[in-house]
Amino acid sequence: MRTIITYFSGTGNTAAMAEAIAEAIGIEAIEVGKVTAKQVLENDIIILGCSAMGAEELDAYEMEPLFSEIENELAGKKVALFGSYDWGDGEWMRTWYDRCVAGGAEMIQEEGLIAHLYPEEDDLVACKMLGEKIKAM
């Protein structure tokens, strides 16, 4: 199955998560500004990462515009979400997850994978486990 990982990382925390997932799958993680909606939608498995911004929202300049373009085209796609946060309780991830489901995505995990600040060893293990699950698909 064709798989893509694209992410936004303001501080490097979400990038570390992306790299752990990508390493487990054996593919490259691509920064969101380097892909188009068309390139994302060409894949069967779409893995998206974004840190919580503002009042627990997606990055408004790169991830939100890309996601807005693809969210109603996710039917038949397998999707996984991940990201890091500093404050709040993960509301941005729950909202993002719900938007994916509303767009018809088949979610790979029951909730998005989140890490508080820089991912600790157990967070990176969870990222690698997600990657291994996706690789086995």
Side-chain angles (χ1 to χ4, degrees):
M1 294 188 139
R2 293 180 58 170
T3 304
I4 188 168
I5 301 173
T6 190
Y7 67 94
F8 169 82
S9 184
T11 61
N13 299 344
T14 299
M17 297 174 75
E19 291 303 321
I21 296 167
E23 182 182 320
I25 298 171
I27 63 174
E28 179 184 355
I30 307 165
E31 292 179 55
V32 70
K34 297 179 179 177
V35 298
T36 65
K38 181 180 181 208
Q39 289 171 314
V40 172
L41 291 171
E42 289 173 345
N43 291 274
D44 306 300
I45 301 173
I46 300 170
I47 308 163
L48 302 170
C50 187
S51 50
M53 303 298 290
E56 286 210 67
E57 301 165 340
L58 294 177
D59 162 65
Y61 301 103
E62 294 186 60
M63 184 55 79
E64 180 60 47
L66 176 83
F67 187 72
S68 291
E69 281 189 64
I70 69 170
E71 74 178 296
N72 293 318
E73 305 293 327
L74 294 175
K77 306 288 185 185
K78 295 180 186 322
V79 176
L81 304 174
F82 67 95
S84 63
Y85 69 102
D86 184 10
W87 59 90
D89 67 353
E91 179 183 356
W92 104 102
M93 186 60 70
R94 292 188 299 274
T95 301
W96 196 14
Y97 184 95
D98 291 346
R99 287 174 68 187
C100 288
V101 171
E106 179 184 326
M107 301 307 291
I108 293 171
Q109 79 261 53
E110 291 188 29
E111 56 189 33
L113 179 60
I114 62 175
H116 183 248
L117 298 173
Y118 192 82
E120 307 244 348
E121 187 59 35
D122 59 332
D123 298 315
L124 294 174
V125 167
C127 290
K128 290 176 183 176
M129 289 175 59
L130 175 60
E132 289 169 8
K133 178 179 180 178
I134 291 166
K135 184 177 182 176
M137 297 179 111

